[in-house]
Amino acid sequence: MVDASTSAHGDLTLTNLTKSFGEFVAVDDLDLVIPQGSFFALLGPSGCGKTTTLRMVAGLEEPTSGKISIGKTDITFEKPYKRPVNTVFQNYALFPHLSIYENIAFGLRRRGVKDVDKQVQNALELVELTHLASRKPNQLSGGQQQRIALARAIVNRPALLLLDEPLGALDLKLRRAMQIELKWIQTEVGITFVHVTHDQEEAMTMADTIAVMNEGKIEQMGSPADLYDNPRTSFVANFLGQSNLIKGSIVDSSGGSAVVDIFGTKVGLAQDRNHAHDSSVLLGIRPEKIRIQPAGTAMHGNILEGGVISDASYIGVSTQYQVEMPWGQELMVFEQNDDGTPPLAKGDAVVMSWEPIFTFGLAGDQDATAGSEANPDSE
Amino acid sequence: MNKATRWFSRNLIRIYAVIGFAYLFLPIVYTFVFSFNDSKKSNLVWVGFTLNNWKNPCGAPDVCNALGNSLKIGVLATFFATILGTLMAFAMGRYAFKGRSVVNILIFLPMATPEIVMGASLLTMFISFGFNPGFWTIVIAHVMFCISFVVVTVKARIASLDPRLEQAAMDLYADERETFRRITFPLVAPGIAAAALLAFSLSFDDFIITNFNSGDVNTFPKFVYISAQRGLPAQANVIGSSMFLIALIIVLVGQFVGRKRAGVR
Ligand SMILES: Nc1ncnc2c1ncn2[C@@H]1O[C@H](COP(=O)(O)OP(=O)(O)OP(=O)(O)O)[C@@H](O)[C@H]1O
Ligand SMILES: [Mg+2]
């Protein structure tokens, strides 16, 4: 018997965690600290090692090397049933021969808890499915099953709750509703949530901290705003939202703001957003940060001239432009339809500008399109 | 199209089904009807209706002794074959070991071997080991050929079991034993039950292998075979019909329970 509530508490720490399947390295030397009580999202494209990481934390997969600990307790080789960790599985994995009630009571009974009935009722109330207690899992809808899977894990009050794309099977509306519910539950019960997803919007709206994972490695970790505004790699810049990445070179980095030359135009880049190792840089700017006007209009900030609109699509709240630059690159611009001026048309010559603080700089030696094929938003 | 052909084409499936079922069930109906025949020595022609055979199923000499032997052998063979076969199925379905694929093929061999060959070989083997053919040699032979069927049936059930269910149980604080007791076994149990029923019916009506290895012990199929040569007593029909009815009831109850458990509203 294990008392999950006392055995280990504190931050989850992964140290040099590696998992190989034969030659293939699924999780590659991962270092990660997840603070106690936080809502942590692990975001990444399919096959990047998210599930494998969770399974190692849950004890269902043995690491090839490295260490996992909660607080000061090393749990790397601890049996799954001795860890203060519960999982909401990608496919729910509800026990088909047990009632909803018994599914939820399962963990409590194994631990020999006294007031099983009261806790199960509380858990059922939390997910608002009290009326379904006597049903079998196959008599529930996908969304209901998902909530039962959540209740079954949460009722044990583990130090750590692992959620493996628990919303993956739901339609968009239910998904949004469940996101709000999950976030609320997490604040309510105060346990650490590690939420795996490949939906960037889900990660952004729910998590305190996001780690973007790619090919078994963490690309970058930080708050949603930090990742979005100040990405460090082109993978993150493209995977999380969309970015224009323009090749340039740093010509002056003596001030607080570096000066970057992009095909003859000089623009400013704040030093704390410059992640280039040398003068070669990929200058990044988000499409919605760019202002666009007919050529000849006076602009301020970083200015790019000589663009011609190659495509304009009106999508209600905004108009999305593709602008062809003299050096052949197409830049994306999202313009809010808020100033009453008629949208620009295909073939119009334009001038673009943006505030220098929105610029970020990435090391110039990486693939400018990394991560964009994995991003469901870009086509 | 005239009315008759239209009716015919619309009911073709039904007509076909009726003919098909008639083909399947006519012999059973025949057996059942003739269990009420007031026959004296041979039960080949209809003499008249009587309930005597049903009132006194042991009336014919030796029939109940043979039936008792068959039931005892069936229960013992089912018991041992189900236990051994289930253990083998778990070993083969769950653990990767050297030569597993060879074992997987070997397990089919007893099913593929002609019974007549197996019966004769077993007899040779028993004699060369110095066993006298009798009750226990029948049990051993039956366990032997039932095991394959049990293994195959249970293994199929294990293969269809989602390993994540057991992992979920482990994640929810159930150790290996509890996981087996609460999750694995209940989910595999229907397969084991099906395997046991199959083993029993195979054992109960086996004639060829039994005939070789039974010595002077009589079993029900052996009894029927021998008496058929001089005239089968109607009691054999009574026992045959009862077996059929019992099997039917078991199937119906099983269906009903299964439906209730699956929660069909
Ligand atoms: N048991 C295994 N044997 C061999 N390779 C495996 C095994 N489990 C996972 N992999 C491989 O490891 C990689 C990471 O798998 P993982 O399930 O962690 O991906 P994921 O990030 O969860 O993807 P998804 O978003 O599609 O669920 C994949 O390339 C997968 O093929
Ligand atoms: Mg996964």
Side-chain angles (χ1 to χ4, degrees):
Chain A
M1 247 178 279
V2 187
D3 189 351
S5 53
T6 58
S7 57
H9 256 271
D11 302 348
L12 170 71
T13 314
L14 311 183
T15 320
N16 305 122
L17 195 65
T18 301
K19 177 73 194 181
S20 319
F21 296 106
E23 292 284 285
F24 180 77
V25 184
V27 174
D28 193 357
D29 201 21
L30 211 65
D31 277 304
L32 201 59
V33 178
I34 299 175
Q36 182 178 357
S38 66
F39 197 124
F40 187 92
L42 205 52
L43 179 67
S46 190
C48 71
K50 305 182 296 290
T51 298
T52 308
T53 307
L54 284 201
R55 287 174 60 83
M56 286 192 283
V57 175
L60 302 173
E61 204 88 67
E62 199 168 281
T64 310
S65 63
K67 195 178 139 191
I68 305 169
S69 47
I70 295 179
K72 289 192 167 53
T73 321
D74 183 344
I75 59 161
T76 316
F77 297 106
E78 193 71 279
K79 294 275 190 190
Y81 46 84
K82 290 194 173 151
R83 300 183 184 211
V85 175
N86 288 118
T87 310
V88 179
F89 285 78
Q90 200 159 0
N91 67 337
Y92 318 142
L94 297 176
F95 306 129
H97 60 302
L98 300 180
S99 67
I100 295 308
Y101 185 97
E102 284 305 321
N103 262 280
I104 296 177
F106 193 90
L108 299 172
R109 294 208 199 281
R110 299 294 83 71
R111 277 162 48 218
V113 168
K114 292 265 148 40
D115 51 348
V116 171
D117 188 61
K118 195 166 140 261
Q119 296 200 36
V120 173
Q121 294 302 342
N122 285 345
L124 278 166
E125 271 165 39
L126 189 70
V127 295
E128 296 172 356
L129 290 176
T130 311
H131 56 295
L132 299 180
S134 60
R135 292 224 194 138
K136 291 279 172 66
N138 66 356
Q139 295 172 288
L140 266 53
S141 76
Q144 291 167 337
Q145 290 185 25
Q146 196 274 319
R147 284 191 273 175
I148 296 303
L150 184 65
R152 184 178 73 172
I154 233 171
V155 73
N156 300 295
R157 298 292 146 123
L160 188 62
L161 188 71
L162 309 175
L163 303 109
D164 193 353
E165 299 193 46
L167 311 180
L170 309 183
D171 65 47
L172 193 66
K173 197 161 156 240
L174 193 56
R175 204 179 164 112
R176 296 285 171 256
M178 282 304 302
Q179 285 171 5
I180 295 167
E181 205 164 323
L182 262 186
K183 180 74 196 169
W184 178 81
I185 288 172
Q186 195 264 339
T187 343
E188 193 82 345
V189 298
I191 19 191
T192 315
F193 274 38
V194 180
H195 183 103
V196 158
T197 176
H198 51 221
D199 177 349
Q200 44 144 319
E201 194 177 326
E202 188 169 299
M204 302 270 272
T205 50
M206 297 170 83
D208 311 318
T209 311
I210 300 177
V212 177
M213 207 171 162
N214 183 31
E215 294 180 348
K217 289 197 173 75
I218 301 284
E219 287 267 335
Q220 189 178 349
M221 195 172 118
S223 71
D226 190 32
L227 288 183
Y228 189 79
D229 293 334
N230 193 8
R232 280 162 210 270
T233 65
S234 60
F235 182 88
V236 175
N238 290 320
F239 188 73
L240 221 59
Q242 285 165 279
S243 297
N244 293 302
L245 298 177
I246 310 166
K247 272 197 191 312
S249 58
I250 297 174
V251 289
D252 177 12
S253 57
S254 53
S257 178
V259 178
V260 181
D261 179 302
I262 47 174
F263 300 97
T265 309
K266 301 229 170 9
V267 295
L269 164 65
Q271 286 294 14
D272 61 343
R273 294 206 172 170
N274 179 13
H275 307 294
H277 322 302
D278 48 31
S279 68
S280 160
V281 67
L282 276 175
L283 195 87
I285 180 71
R286 298 283 185 183
E288 76 280 4
K289 300 289 195 308
I290 302 179
R291 297 178 293 249
I292 188 166
Q293 291 292 334
T297 315
M299 306 279 267
H300 56 88
N302 287 338
I303 300 172
L304 274 184
E305 289 174 320
V308 174
I309 292 179
S310 60
D311 189 43
S313 40
Y314 178 80
I315 55 163
V317 289
S318 67
T319 304
Q320 303 197 349
Y321 298 105
Q322 297 279 343
V323 180
E324 176 152 4
M325 299 311 290
W327 58 89
Q329 189 179 3
E330 300 238 335
L331 299 184
M332 268 177 298
V333 180
F334 300 162
E335 182 79 346
Q336 291 282 314
N337 295 323
D338 59 356
D339 54 4
T341 56
L344 298 157
K346 189 174 170 180
D348 288 359
V350 292
V351 56
M352 293 178 287
S353 74
W354 66 90
E355 293 306 318
I357 52 155
F358 293 136
T359 321
F360 53 86
L362 310 173
D365 54 0
Q366 43 184 338
D367 176 9
T369 61
S372 50
E373 55 303 320
N375 182 341
D377 286 359
S378 62
E379 53 268 48
Chain B
M1 240 192 293
N2 69 33
K3 226 169 156 185
T5 38
R6 225 180 12 231
W7 179 90
F8 188 75
S9 66
R10 208 176 303 144
N11 290 286
L12 198 60
I13 288 275
R14 259 173 240 167
I15 295 164
Y16 180 72
V18 167
I19 295 172
F21 275 109
Y23 181 51
L24 286 178
F25 285 110
L26 210 58
I28 296 169
V29 172
Y30 188 90
T31 306
F32 188 65
V33 169
F34 271 74
S35 70
F36 296 101
N37 191 11
D38 194 8
S39 65
K40 288 285 153 314
K41 193 157 170 290
S42 154
N43 195 9
L44 289 174
V45 284
W46 184 256
V47 178
F49 182 83
T50 177
L51 285 175
N52 285 343
N53 306 325
W54 282 84
K55 281 188 199 139
N56 187 14
C58 293
D62 210 30
V63 64
C64 278
N65 172 37
L67 177 66
N69 281 340
S70 273
L71 289 176
K72 267 186 265 175
I73 291 164
V75 168
L76 284 169
T78 302
F79 179 79
F80 290 116
T82 305
I83 289 183
L84 292 172
T86 300
L87 293 176
M88 283 171 73
F90 269 102
M92 291 163 65
R94 274 306 159 79
Y95 301 99
F97 52 87
K98 227 175 161 184
R100 184 164 77 160
S101 47
V102 177
V103 174
N104 271 326
I105 295 168
L106 286 180
I107 206 72
F108 277 97
L109 275 186
M111 292 196 261
T113 311
E115 276 196 61
I116 193 92
V117 175
M118 199 142 80
S121 319
L122 275 168
L123 179 64
T124 321
M125 189 189 83
F126 284 134
I127 288 175
S128 66
F129 282 2
F131 289 177
N132 269 333
F135 185 85
W136 286 104
T137 51
I138 306 177
V139 172
I140 292 169
H142 284 201
V143 169
M144 192 235 124
F145 72 77
C146 286
I147 280 185
S148 293
F149 290 91
V150 174
V151 170
V152 170
T153 312
V154 176
K155 208 158 65 93
R157 183 81 192 180
I158 293 172
S160 71
L161 191 68
D162 184 350
R164 279 171 295 199
L165 293 175
E166 287 163 300
Q167 291 170 359
M170 294 258 233
D171 188 60
L172 291 163
Y173 314 105
D175 58 22
E176 288 84 356
R177 258 190 55 202
E178 285 284 288
T179 302
F180 183 81
R181 203 160 88 86
R182 311 259 169 203
I183 306 298
T184 319
F185 186 74
L187 290 175
V188 176
I192 298 175
L197 283 177
L198 183 64
F200 183 81
S201 73
L202 285 170
S203 162
F204 187 82
D205 75 8
D206 180 74
F207 173 70
I208 301 174
I209 294 177
T210 311
N211 199 33
F212 274 103
N213 297 289
S214 55
D216 52 10
V217 175
N218 211 358
T219 66
F220 186 65
K222 219 174 131 181
F223 168 83
V224 172
Y225 179 78
I226 293 165
S227 30
Q229 292 168 346
R230 28 181 180 86
L232 189 62
Q235 274 80 3
N237 292 43
V238 171
I239 289 164
S241 304
S242 319
M243 294 309 294
F244 175 75
L245 290 176
I246 290 168
L248 195 68
I249 289 166
I250 290 176
V251 169
L252 289 177
V253 168
Q255 288 264 330
F256 180 74
V257 172
R259 243 175 229 225
K260 259 198 123 170
R261 281 186 49 179
V264 175
R265 276 154 291 171

